[in-house]
Amino acid sequence: MDRVDDILAQWARERPDLDTGPMGLLGRLKRLTDLLSEELTAVFRAHGLTAASFDVLATLRRAGAPHALSPSELMDWTMVASGTMTNRLDRLEAEGLIERRPNPADGRGSIVQLTPQGLALIDRVVTDHVANQHRLLAALPPELRGPVGAGLKAWLAGLEAGARSAAPGTGR
């Protein structure tokens, strides 16, 4: 029994007409999201980063040498708006972790590239981040990791493809 079970029992008592099964699953996912976010953020903070700055630096690192992308490519990979990306890049540039230079393929655009300092930092952080992810997954039995991952992948794909039904009361 966990706290979600207690909440579900209360709803079953008060509203036995409702199928609260989704509430249990989504409640546990929300709690997991909150706990995981706290644990992941602690690693980023220990290196002087936020989750947002880690996301930008990791995206540039994953791009491979020369660890550079256009701002538009960064926005696509990190799924943030232009103004948000500009603010993130301004902070990272002020910290000496990235540099912006003219795009040789497009004289009007720019390229964002990791500096040597940024590359060294993200390599340290991603090492700690992956170790932390392993630590966090240790609470999930190994035989469940594949099925849980497959189920989450299928669910995400369905939602991203617009397969969700209209949410009651939203007009969608």
Side-chain angles (χ1 to χ4, degrees), residues 49-87:
L49 297 176
T50 63
S53 57
F54 172 83
D55 195 20
V56 172
L57 296 176
T59 299
L60 290 168
R61 180 63 175 98
R62 289 192 321 264
H67 309 109
L69 295 169
S70 71
S72 296
E73 290 170 315
L74 276 170
M75 288 185 301
D76 288 344
W77 279 108
T78 59
M79 298 174 275
V80 298
S82 176
T84 301
M85 182 56 68
T86 298
N87 289 335

Side-chain angles (χ1 to χ4, degrees), residues 2-115:
D2 63 9
R3 197 66 169 158
V4 175
D5 286 326
D6 295 337
I7 292 167
L8 294 174
Q10 290 172 330
W11 279 118
R13 183 188 69 234
E14 296 298 318
R15 289 289 310 269
D17 58 307
L18 292 177
D19 172 7
T20 58
M23 187 183 293
L25 180 60
L26 295 174
R28 286 185 179 93
L29 283 173
K30 170 70 168 92
R31 184 67 183 131
L32 274 169
T33 298
D34 292 346
L35 289 170
L36 292 172
S37 180
E38 289 172 20
E39 294 290 333
L40 296 173
T41 299
V43 170
F44 306 144
R45 193 178 313 116
H47 290 277
L49 297 176
T50 63
S53 57
F54 172 83
D55 195 20
V56 172
L57 296 176
T59 299
L60 290 168
R61 180 63 175 98
R62 289 192 321 264
H67 309 109
L69 295 169
S70 71
S72 296
E73 290 170 315
L74 276 170
M75 288 185 301
D76 288 344
W77 279 108
T78 59
M79 298 174 275
V80 298
S82 176
T84 301
M85 182 56 68
T86 298
N87 289 335
R88 289 179 185 181
L89 296 179
D90 287 347
R91 284 191 297 272
L92 291 168
E93 189 171 39
E95 293 171 16
L97 301 174
I98 62 147
E99 63 183 4
R100 289 182 261 203
R101 54 186 173 77
N103 185 341
D106 174 9
R108 299 171 298 156
S110 64
I111 293 290
V112 179
Q113 183 171 12
L114 287 175
T115 62

